[in-house]
Amino acid sequence: MRRTPGTPEVRVPRLVGLMAVDARETAEARGVLLAAPDRPDFPSTVVDYVVRQFPQPGAEVPRGAVVTVWFDLGDAEGGAGMREPRPPRPPSGGMRRELDRPGDPFEVLG
């Protein structure tokens, strides 16, 4: 990229997590351009979410620099979809069992 003398530097906004339409508006407001190599239909993309970007948020770039973004494919386009939360694994060392209260096992309660 050619840098023109006197071109003010701008900081790259955080675009990850934004919908495509919001990412475009945020980039325009901050003075950078967006490119999406995985989306030839990027100008009409609206509700897909940005999952990765380069350069990283906060990097200083010349005004008008291109920020590359990638989108989540979603369920209909071969993405991984939702994953259920995984419960914690049991502690190591075999099964744990509940122990009786200490004391006389033949104690009469009454």
Side-chain angles (χ1 to χ4, degrees), residues 7-71:
T7 303
E9 299 269 327
V10 294
R11 290 201 182 267
V12 175
R14 178 176 173 77
L15 303 171
V16 173
L18 296 179
M19 288 192 305
V21 67
D22 296 329
R24 282 194 299 269
E25 290 174 3
T26 301
E28 183 180 337
R30 293 287 185 93
V32 294
L33 303 173
L34 290 185
D38 62 339
R39 291 296 171 128
D41 61 340
F42 176 63
S44 62
T45 303
V46 178
V47 295
D48 292 338
Y49 288 90
V50 176
V51 294
R52 194 173 70 183
Q53 75 179 71
F54 182 81
Q56 296 297 319
E60 288 189 6
V61 296
R63 183 173 297 279
V66 175
V67 176
T68 305
V69 294
W70 291 268
F71 292 93

